[in-house]
Amino acid sequence: MSLIKEPDFGTPERPGEATVSVEVDGMPVKVPEGTSVMRAAALAGIDIPKLCATDSLEPFGSCRLCVVEIDGRRGTPASCTTPVTDSMVVRTQTPKVEKLRQNVMELYISDHPLDCLTCSANGDCELQDMAGVVGLRQVRYGYEGENHLDAAPDLSNPYFDFEPAKCISCSRCVRACGEVQGTFALTIEGRGFDSKVSPGAGESFMDSECVSCGACVQACPTATLQERSVVELGMPSRSVVTTCAYCGVGCSFKAELRGDELVRMVPYKDGGANEGHSCVKGRFAFGYATHPDRVLKPMVRERITDPWREVEWDEAIQTVARKMRTIQETYGPSSVGAISSSRCTNEEVYVVQKMVRAAFGNNNIDTCARVCHSPTGYGLKQTFGESAGTQDFRSVSKADLIMVIGANPTDGHPVFGSRMKRRLREGAQLVVVDPRRIDLVRSPHVEAAHHLQLKPSTNVAVINAMAHVVVTEGLVDRSFVDERCEGFDAWAEFVALPENSPEATEAITGVPAAEVRASARLYATAPNAAIYYGLGVTEHSQGSTMVMGMANLAMACGNIGRDGVGVNPLRGQNNVQGSCDMGSFPHELTGYRHVSDDAVRTVFEELWGRSLLPEPGLRIPNMFDAAIDGSFRGLFVHGEDIAQSDPNLQHVSAALEAMDLVVVQDLFLNETAKFAHVFLPGASFLEKDGTFTNAERRINRVRAVMKPKTGKHEWQIVSEIATAMGYPMSYDHPGQIMSEIAQVTPTFKGVSFELLDELGSVQWPCNDEAPEGTPTMHVDGFVRGKGKFAVTAYVPTDERTTSRFPLVLTTGRILSQYNVGAQTRRTGNVAWHAEDVLELHPLDAENRGITDGDMVSLASRVGGTTLRARVSDRMPPGVVYTTFHHPVTGANVVTTENSDWATNCPEYKVTAVQVALAHPLGRHATESSETDRLAGVD
C-alpha cells in the first residue's frame, strides 16, 4: 500500500444544499452558500496554490498565494476568504495572478533555508510544492539582508522539534491550537518582520500550555514543526488506516511506515470519531510496541517463586489446557474462569468468553469493563432499554447546554474534549458536576456557568435535587413524557418530596441550593441539553442509581432522540463498549441477553455445539473470594493487570496467590504476572486485525501495521487453548469471528469487515432496519418501548470518614498517561507525568505540616502507600485526589471492597483516608529510576 494522501480543499465545508452555481476556469460546479472560491475550485478539480489555508481551519487570507481574478470585480481577491456567489466566473491561471504568486513565493524563499535535499520534510513540504506549482525559477532579492535563518530551534518536546528558521508565519499552527485543539498555547509574537510563532514569552514548548496533541505539527506546511521520528527515520512511504488503542474516543489514524518500521501516526480526516484530530497518546505514544521490555516468547513456571522458563507455543498452550482440566477434575467445572480485557479487539474478547462457556463449561467470565462502566449498562438498560450511550460525538455541536458529570474530557477523552470546547466557544452553556475543579471549569475561552462541587458519593442527591426543581417548577416536557414514557407519576411524586429539594440536600452534597436550581433551569429550558459522564458517576456504591437518575432527568426534559441531547457515557478504555457488547459478563451473552433466556441460549448452543449453563457465573470479586475460600483455583487473565487496577489490592494479591494456575496474556510482565504460572505474550494494537467499539457505539476497523512479533494472534492462542481442552475452535481470519458475532447478535447483524471497509465505520444497531448503523438512539421510540422512570432514592455510602481517616480520597486520570500506565510509561509521555501525586487543599496541608512537593503517606482502613504531595485548591477541604498510573505508588492498595449495589462496580471514587508526612525519600527515588528505565533514559 502506498502513502495515503488525503485531499485538502483549502477551507472547511459549509452545510446545506449545493445551490450556488460557479464557473472556475471554464469548469462549472455547484456548491452550498458560503463556500469559498478556493473550495469550489477544488471541488471542480482545480487546486489553487495556497500556504496559509487548509480545510481543517477557517480561512485566514495571509499568504496571498491563492489570489484569483473574478469577472466583474476589481483586483485579485484571496480565494480562501472570498465566498462564492451565483453565476460567479473565476479565473485562477491568468498571467496577472501567476506573476503575483511568483513574487509572493520569492519573498518566502528569500528568508528560508535552502536545504531542501537534506531537510526532513523533503518530499512532504508545501512550500517546496508551491514553489514548483507557481513556476518559481529565481529569487531576485538575494540573501544578504536581514533574515531569520539563525533562529535557534526548540528541541524541548520529546516528540517534535520547532525550527523557527523555517517558519513562514502562516499562522496555521496558531490557528490549529485554537480552533481545533482549543488550548490557545501558541501565538504570533511581534509585528511585521519581527513576527514569529511563540509558545509564550520566553517559554519553550515544554514550559508552555501546549498539550502535544500534534495539531500544530499536522497543520505546519514546512519542516518548522516536525515529528522527531521523521527527522530520525526519514519520510514514510506507505500507510495503513487503523484505530487508536487508548481511550474510548476511538480515533482513526494513518499508521505511516518506512518499510516495516512505523514512522508516525497521523490522524485520519475521514475518521468518524476524530475527523483528523488527535491527542498526545494516540499521535505520539506508540513506542511501547517496540519497547525492549516486551515479552515475545511464552514462559512457564511451577511456582510463582520459581524463575521463568521460555518455552515454545505448543508447550505453553498444552500446559494451560492440562492444568485447567486437572483443576476442574479435582475441584469441579466451576473452579476455573477468565477475565477479558477492554483493550483487546471485539473478536479477541468474543473468543475468550466463548472459550469459557464452551471449553471451560461455565459462565465464569468477567471483564475489566465491569469495574468501570457496568452501572452504565444496567442503568440505561432499565430506563431506555439499551446498554449504551444515545448519541454520536458530532451531536455535541448541536447542544445548547452541556452538563459534564464525573468526567474530565480534556484529560480522559481529549479529542472529544476539544470538540466539546469548540461548541462552548460558539456559545453553548456548561455545567460541571465534580468534586474537583477540572480544566473545563475555567480555561482559555471556556468557562462553566456553574460548577457544582459536590462531596464525593452524593451524586444521586444532586441529580434528585435537579429533578425536584424541574418537577416543582413546571419545567417538565409533558408532551414527550406523556407520549413516550411510563412510570412518571410515581417518580415525580418521589422527587417532589421536600427532602429532595436543593435546600434540603445542600447539607448532604455541599452544593449551594441556588447553584443547583440555576443549573436545573438551564438544563430544562435549553433547546438542546446533553449529559456527558464518566467514572465519577459509575464508580460509586450508587453508580447504577445515578445512571438511572440522569436518564430520568433527560426524559423529563425531553432531551432524548435527536442531535444535541442524550445521556452519553465517556468510556475510559478503547474497547469498553465492545467488551460489554461481546458477552463478557457472567450473566449475559452477546448483545446484553441474559444467560437464563432459553431462546437466546439455544441460538448459541446450536452454533457452538455445546450446552450452556442458564445460571450466571462468578464476577471478579466472587472469583477472588472463592479463591481465598479454596473453591476457585484457575484463572485466565487476558490483557488485564488486575493486581494494579482492581480495588483492595491486598485482597486481590491474596486471591491470586491462593490459585493453582494463573495465566496472564499481556505485552509486559505486569503486576499480575508476579502471581502467574504461565505467561503468554500478547500483541500490540499495531499487530492486530479486528475491530474496536468506541463510546458512541462506533465499530472501527483495526488493521495490522505489522505481523505479530510473537508469531501468533491472540484470538488464535485462545482458540488453540480451547481446542487443547477438548472443544475444537478454529478460525482462519478475524473476519470470520465477526461474521459469527453478527450471526448471534441482533445489534451486529449487518456488521462485516466488508461493510466496515466500505463505509469506514458504523454505529450499532446495524441491522436490516439500519443497514448503515444508528448515530442517534431512541429517535421515534425507546428500545424497550416506552422510557421507564425509576425511583432513585439517595443512600449514603458505607464508606464514612472517621477521626482516624478524616479525608475522602477520589481518583482520576491525567492526559499524558493511560490506565495502569503499562504502555504510556514506556514512552516519552513520562516527561509530563513521571509519578502519581496527591492533590490536597492548602488548609488540609497546613493542618498536617505538609508543603508542596513533600513525600506523604496515604492510608485507609485496608492499606497504605507513599507519594508526593501537590498542594492545590482544585479540591475542596476534606477531599484529596490522585491518579493510578504508576504501580510503584499503587493507589488502589488503599481503595476498599465497597461496590455498586447492582453490578459490583468498585467504589473507587470514595475512600476514607489519612495523609501525613512521610520520609523525604520514600518511594519517589524508586519511582524515578523505574520511570527512567521504562522510557529508556540513561
Side-chain angles (χ1 to χ4, degrees), residues 854-874:
D854 284 343
M855 294 303 296
V856 297
S857 63
L858 174 70
S860 73
R861 62 181 174 83
V862 299
T865 187
T866 306
L867 67 171
R868 191 174 300 281
R870 176 174 295 159
V871 179
S872 168
D873 63 359
R874 282 180 178 261

Side-chain angles (χ1 to χ4, degrees), residues 738-758:
M738 177 51 73
S739 295
E740 184 174 320
I741 293 166
Q743 189 175 346
V744 297
T745 313
T747 49
F748 277 65
K749 182 180 179 183
V751 180
S752 67
F753 278 22
E754 292 75 20
L755 180 73
L756 297 174
D757 289 341
E758 177 186 349

Side-chain angles (χ1 to χ4, degrees), residues 690-849:
T691 57
F692 294 148
T693 306
N694 75 350
E696 53 174 355
R697 296 171 282 104
R698 185 181 300 278
I699 306 164
N700 269 317
R701 281 284 275 118
V702 183
R703 296 178 178 87
V705 173
M706 57 190 70
K707 293 180 180 179
K709 294 182 178 300
T710 63
K712 282 188 183 289
H713 298 287
E714 291 189 15
W715 53 265
Q716 181 183 3
I717 297 162
V718 173
S719 299
E720 290 179 4
I721 291 172
T723 301
M725 290 187 69
Y727 176 72
M729 194 159 81
S730 175
Y731 303 95
D732 297 324
H733 186 269
Q736 293 179 347
I737 305 175
M738 177 51 73
S739 295
E740 184 174 320
I741 293 166
Q743 189 175 346
V744 297
T745 313
T747 49
F748 277 65
K749 182 180 179 183
V751 180
S752 67
F753 278 22
E754 292 75 20
L755 180 73
L756 297 174
D757 289 341
E758 177 186 349
L759 299 181
S761 62
V762 296
Q763 292 169 263
W764 68 258
C766 178
N767 47 32
D768 294 339
E769 293 75 32
E772 294 191 358
T774 309
T776 302
M777 296 281 285
H778 319 297
V779 173
D780 299 316
F782 288 95
V783 171
R784 68 180 305 278
K786 288 198 169 186
K788 182 180 180 181
F789 282 90
V791 172
T792 53
Y794 167 68
V795 178
T797 176
D798 291 337
E799 183 72 2
R800 310 291 175 84
T801 56
T802 64
S803 57
R804 185 180 175 191
F805 302 110
L807 303 174
V808 174
L809 169 71
T810 190
T811 62
R813 289 178 165 89
I814 199 164
L815 170 64
S816 59
Q817 296 292 342
Y818 173 68
N819 205 15
V820 297
Q823 293 126 290
T824 44
R825 284 184 288 106
R826 291 175 168 89
T827 71
N829 281 27
V830 293
W832 291 280
H833 188 77
E835 60 181 341
D836 293 321
V837 297
L838 184 75
E839 289 185 14
L840 73 167
H841 191 272
L843 180 63
D844 294 322
E846 183 178 358
N847 288 341
R848 290 161 177 77

Side-chain angles (χ1 to χ4, degrees), residues 350 353-354 357-358 362-363 365 381 579-605 608 612-614 744-746:
Y350 177 84
Q353 63 87 29
K354 182 178 180 179
R357 292 188 161 108
N362 61 50
N363 285 316
I365 174 66
K381 184 84 169 179
S579 68
C580 299
D581 299 340
M582 292 299 103
S584 287
F585 292 125
H587 63 292
E588 287 177 336
L589 293 158
T590 66
Y592 306 96
R593 294 162 298 161
H594 204 278
V595 294
S596 63
D597 188 319
D598 293 342
V600 171
R601 215 169 52 255
T602 298
V603 171
F604 287 86
E605 289 175 338
W608 291 354
L612 304 182
L613 296 178
V744 297
T745 313

Side-chain angles (χ1 to χ4, degrees), residues 395-654:
S395 173
V396 76
S397 67
K398 301 292 182 63
D400 301 293
L401 183 283
I402 300 169
M403 186 150 59
V404 177
I405 309 178
N408 187 1
T410 55
D411 274 20
H413 307 85
V415 171
F416 175 72
S418 296
R419 192 189 289 264
M420 179 185 289
K421 287 194 292 182
R422 189 179 313 140
R423 179 58 184 157
L424 294 171
R425 294 195 303 275
E426 293 169 350
Q429 299 257 49
L430 173 67
V431 173
V432 174
V433 185
D434 201 292
R436 187 169 177 260
R437 193 184 72 243
I438 61 174
D439 287 344
L440 275 177
V441 173
R442 190 179 302 109
S443 58
H445 301 268
V446 170
E447 185 168 0
H450 301 282
H451 176 203
L452 309 187
Q453 196 169 25
L454 75 171
K455 297 175 182 176
S457 83
T458 63
N459 288 335
V460 172
V462 168
I463 208 73
N464 285 345
M466 294 184 73
H468 177 95
V469 175
V470 170
V471 169
T472 59
E473 294 188 4
L475 301 176
V476 174
D477 185 339
R478 290 298 318 200
S479 61
F480 182 92
V481 170
D482 292 343
E483 179 184 346
R484 297 190 51 181
C485 304
E486 63 185 14
F488 173 78
D489 291 340
W491 173 77
E493 182 180 352
F494 160 73
V495 295
L497 292 172
E499 55 261 38
N500 287 321
S501 71
E503 289 72 22
T505 56
E506 182 174 334
I508 297 170
T509 67
V511 181
E515 289 286 301
V516 175
R517 287 192 176 274
S519 299
R521 292 166 186 152
L522 269 181
Y523 178 84
T525 59
N528 291 321
I531 296 173
Y532 293 90
Y533 70 93
L535 304 185
V537 161
T538 56
E539 291 180 345
H540 286 277
S541 61
Q542 280 200 285
S544 294
T545 309
M546 180 60 180
V547 173
M548 292 188 287
M550 294 184 298
N552 290 337
L553 186 65
M555 289 189 291
C557 299
N559 283 320
I560 293 291
R562 63 183 185 278
D563 276 348
V565 299
V567 180
N568 306 286
L570 296 175
R571 309 291 195 169
Q573 297 182 65
N574 55 298
N575 203 31
V576 167
Q577 184 68 61
S579 68
C580 299
D581 299 340
M582 292 299 103
S584 287
F585 292 125
H587 63 292
E588 287 177 336
L589 293 158
T590 66
Y592 306 96
R593 294 162 298 161
H594 204 278
V595 294
S596 63
D597 188 319
D598 293 342
V600 171
R601 215 169 52 255
T602 298
V603 171
F604 287 86
E605 289 175 338
E606 290 179 351
L607 182 64
W608 291 354
R610 280 287 191 274
S611 295
L612 304 182
L613 296 178
E615 299 85 15
L618 300 176
R619 293 171 172 169
I620 294 172
N622 308 130
M623 294 181 192
F624 294 157
D625 291 343
I628 291 173
D629 291 343
S631 59
F632 187 84
R633 316 288 293 202
L635 180 64
F636 179 88
V637 185
H638 186 221
E640 271 304 298
D641 192 3
I642 54 177
Q644 185 183 344
S645 62
D646 279 37
N648 193 356
L649 291 182
Q650 292 187 15
H651 183 68
V652 175
S653 299

